Amino acid sequence: MKKVVLCILDGLGYRKESLGNAFLDADTFAIDKLLKEFPNSKLLCKQDSISLNAYDSETGHMAIGTGRVVFDNFDVFNSSISDGSFYNNSNILEVINFVKDNKSRLHLFYILSEESLSYLLTLIDMVSKYDVPIYLHIFLEGKDVSSLAVSNLEVLSSYILNKNCYIASLSGKDYVMDNDGDFDRTKLCYDVIFKGVGPFNDDIMSIINTSYDLELFDSYIVPTLVNRNGIFSDGDGVIIANFNNNCFEQLFRLVTDSFSPYLDVNVYSNIKCVSMFPISDKVKCVSAFPNTLVNNALIDVLSNNKLRVLRIAETSKYSCVTHFFDGNRDVSYHNVSNICIPKKRVDSYDMDPGMSANEITDKVINVMNDYDFIVVNYANCDMVGHTGNYEACKRALNVVDKCIMNLYEACFNNDYLLVICSSHGNIEEMIRDDKVYSGNTLNPVYFIVCDKDYKLRNGNLCDVAPSVISILGIVIPDEMTGNIIVY
């Protein structure tokens, strides 16, 4: 049986055009060599129902890890609106009725992006029918200058003008969607919303303009209170409008979990909280919708066949090789080890484009003979790409490229097959409409199998798992609807 290393170059897509293409512009001797010498093809990130939202790259990891179309949370939400079940959701209505009974306030937490504005307006419409005061805690995302945040906030402000609905606070997403366990940043947001301690400015556009002047763009806007009536208090209700399961976990661990690294957090005895989708067992909050159930994902199959498995990534992408790779689940497996390499503490990823790529590579090489299958994620192209810093992205690619060469040589010397793919694009398209673009892309991604004896076909992300299982000589489960594109 072959042993396999699956390497995910997170954020590296394929694009012919050279303008804004950091990959074509960077020194990538190793990747170029592998593309020239070994069979390779392209994988679509969007095919039928397999879609990658610009703000939800986890969909790509789910497709790779499960070998099938996994409907993302936006699909579930849209379906519930279409069939009307959203408006009768018992867990949402329970929180609304709790607020009515307590004559209190409803706090709605939402990450606002270009694509998600309509969802927020739908939520406001639904809750407004019950005549309860709504206080919005808005979190912006985006790593560079954008007129979208201003435009969205103008639309939102106009939309709620004659409703019992108010913007209570404004913050960057980085303060609540931090995958690195940096509670100190999250605490700044907690203090503003739950204690009323911190910056106050009731002029939203002033907050944004001041922040932009300091080159703190959307994701990094410092948490600021906008309406003093929107400070949370006991007896209030909460709707966490999350479509990503990682959203708001750290913030609401400070609110609902017995754990807290701080002594000055408030203890609430009478609150009601609902999230759109499950967040974490550590957050005491019911959810309006369950996670999509997945059986027989790639790691399930390998574990059931008693293969020794290692998943490794640095902090920012650890959930992508575990939780999302397993189909939006937290599963404990036999014979499966998970290694999380800590993120280096920097204010922005472009300040250290190499991130922890070298540490990841060294660890894989040192322990690889203890495993039959290894999945490793290099996050550089994605995380540095989101900064919009073109030169930093080229440096990130240089580091990753050297790691790929070291990884390939180790695989060759230890009789492993190196398979390379990506979950989505980013770094290959950093200029769009003559402006800096720092978001994920739907461009195809590379699929490389470093063995000249194989042939490849073009396919989709969900074809990776069944193809890997085929290489390993294991029976592919019926649940995997992806195709074998390696032969």
Side-chain angles (χ1 to χ4, degrees), residues 344-469:
K344 297 177 181 178
R345 294 297 181 184
V346 292
D347 290 335
S348 179
Y349 287 101
D350 58 348
M351 297 175 67
D352 183 17
M355 299 173 59
S356 299
N358 288 319
E359 290 85 346
I360 290 172
T361 307
D362 291 344
K363 186 66 175 179
V364 171
I365 292 172
N366 288 336
V367 304
M368 67 188 315
N369 283 313
D370 295 332
Y371 299 97
D372 305 302
F373 177 84
I374 300 171
V375 56
V376 52
N377 183 300
Y378 290 107
N380 307 60
C381 294
D382 183 51
M383 304 309 293
V384 182
H386 283 316
T387 70
N389 187 328
Y390 190 80
E391 292 303 316
C393 287
K394 289 168 60 177
R395 294 194 296 274
L397 278 162
N398 292 340
V399 173
V400 171
D401 191 69
K402 291 180 174 65
C403 290
I404 292 298
M405 179 53 71
N406 292 336
L407 188 61
Y408 167 71
E409 290 176 350
C411 287
F412 180 82
N413 292 330
N414 291 279
D415 198 27
Y416 280 81
L417 173 64
L418 177 63
V419 177
I420 300 173
C421 70
S422 179
S423 55
H424 59 84
N426 179 313
I427 206 167
E428 81 289 350
E429 188 176 356
M430 299 190 65
I431 296 177
R432 183 178 287 184
D433 299 327
D434 297 324
K435 297 179 181 178
V436 173
Y437 181 73
S438 61
N440 297 333
T441 75
L442 285 171
N443 295 320
V445 299
Y446 294 97
F447 185 51
I448 310 171
V449 176
C450 298
D451 187 328
K452 294 179 181 179
D453 291 337
Y454 287 103
K455 295 181 180 179
L456 273 64
R457 290 188 288 266
N458 290 331
N460 304 297
L461 293 179
C462 64
D463 298 332
V464 174
S467 297
V468 167
I469 291 174

Side-chain angles (χ1 to χ4, degrees), residues 109 175-176 178-183 186-187 190 194 240 245-262 265-268 271 273 279-285:
F109 289 75
Y175 287 87
V176 291
D178 182 276
N179 295 322
D180 303 313
D182 190 350
F183 277 93
T186 304
K187 179 64 159 49
Y190 173 89
F194 292 90
I240 306 172
N245 298 65
N246 285 349
C247 290
F248 304 110
E249 176 179 345
Q250 287 190 177
L251 178 62
F252 278 90
R253 283 190 68 182
L254 296 178
V255 179
T256 69
D257 188 12
S258 57
F259 158 83
S260 176
Y262 306 100
V265 297
N266 295 330
V267 176
Y268 300 101
I271 65 172
C273 179
I279 297 177
S280 164
D281 292 340
K282 298 173 182 177
V283 175
K284 296 178 177 61
C285 182

Side-chain angles (χ1 to χ4, degrees), residues 117-391:
L117 175 60
S118 62
Y119 297 108
L120 175 57
L121 302 185
T122 298
L123 284 166
I124 292 171
D125 278 346
M126 188 266 199
V127 179
S128 293
K129 295 177 182 178
Y130 294 89
D131 194 29
V132 296
I134 307 166
Y135 286 88
L136 305 176
H137 301 278
I138 300 298
F139 301 84
L140 301 180
E141 66 173 354
K143 311 294 182 179
D144 54 358
V145 177
S146 170
S147 61
L148 293 176
V150 173
S151 175
N152 283 336
L153 286 169
E154 287 175 343
V155 171
L156 176 60
S157 298
S158 176
Y159 194 81
I160 65 176
L161 195 58
N162 296 315
K163 294 180 170 64
N164 193 8
C165 182
Y166 316 91
I167 297 177
S169 69
L170 187 69
S171 175
K173 184 182 75 171
D174 190 62
Y175 287 87
V176 291
M177 195 173 175
D178 182 276
N179 295 322
D180 303 313
D182 190 350
F183 277 93
D184 288 344
R185 290 180 65 78
T186 304
K187 179 64 159 49
L188 296 176
C189 183
Y190 173 89
D191 285 344
V192 165
I193 296 173
F194 292 90
K195 299 179 67 177
V197 175
F200 171 81
N201 190 337
D202 59 4
D203 185 338
I204 292 176
M205 297 311 161
S206 173
I207 297 172
I208 292 177
N209 291 333
T210 300
S211 187
Y212 282 8
D213 288 343
L214 296 172
E215 296 188 350
L216 295 173
F217 303 119
D218 296 352
S219 286
Y220 306 110
I221 289 177
V222 175
T224 304
L225 188 65
V226 176
N227 187 322
R228 296 192 189 279
N229 293 326
I231 301 171
F232 192 90
S233 62
D234 220 1
D236 287 352
V238 181
I239 293 179
I240 306 172
N242 64 315
F243 297 96
N244 180 314
N245 298 65
N246 285 349
C247 290
F248 304 110
E249 176 179 345
Q250 287 190 177
L251 178 62
F252 278 90
R253 283 190 68 182
L254 296 178
V255 179
T256 69
D257 188 12
S258 57
F259 158 83
S260 176
Y262 306 100
L263 299 176
D264 61 339
V265 297
N266 295 330
V267 176
Y268 300 101
S269 60
N270 185 35
I271 65 172
K272 188 74 71 173
C273 179
V274 62
S275 60
M276 288 295 106
F277 293 90
I279 297 177
S280 164
D281 292 340
K282 298 173 182 177
V283 175
K284 296 178 177 61
C285 182
V286 300
S287 63
F289 304 100
N291 285 331
T292 302
L293 294 178
V294 172
N295 294 315
N296 277 334
L298 175 60
I299 304 303
D300 291 291
V301 175
L302 302 185
S303 178
N304 290 338
N305 281 272
K306 296 181 172 50
L307 270 67
R308 300 165 299 168
V309 175
L310 171 66
R311 286 103 71 87
I312 182 170
E314 65 180 88
T315 319
S316 58
K317 289 292 180 176
Y318 178 68
S319 63
C320 290
V321 297
T322 53
H323 177 89
F324 293 107
F325 202 79
D326 296 335
N328 224 5
R329 301 177 299 158
D330 293 310
V331 187
S332 296
Y333 295 103
H334 295 296
N335 302 322
V336 176
S337 301
N338 301 316
I339 298 178
C340 180
I341 303 295
K343 168 195 171 185
K344 297 177 181 178
R345 294 297 181 184
V346 292
D347 290 335
S348 179
Y349 287 101
D350 58 348
M351 297 175 67
D352 183 17
M355 299 173 59
S356 299
N358 288 319
E359 290 85 346
I360 290 172
T361 307
D362 291 344
K363 186 66 175 179
V364 171
I365 292 172
N366 288 336
V367 304
M368 67 188 315
N369 283 313
D370 295 332
Y371 299 97
D372 305 302
F373 177 84
I374 300 171
V375 56
V376 52
N377 183 300
Y378 290 107
N380 307 60
C381 294
D382 183 51
M383 304 309 293
V384 182
H386 283 316
T387 70
N389 187 328
Y390 190 80
E391 292 303 316

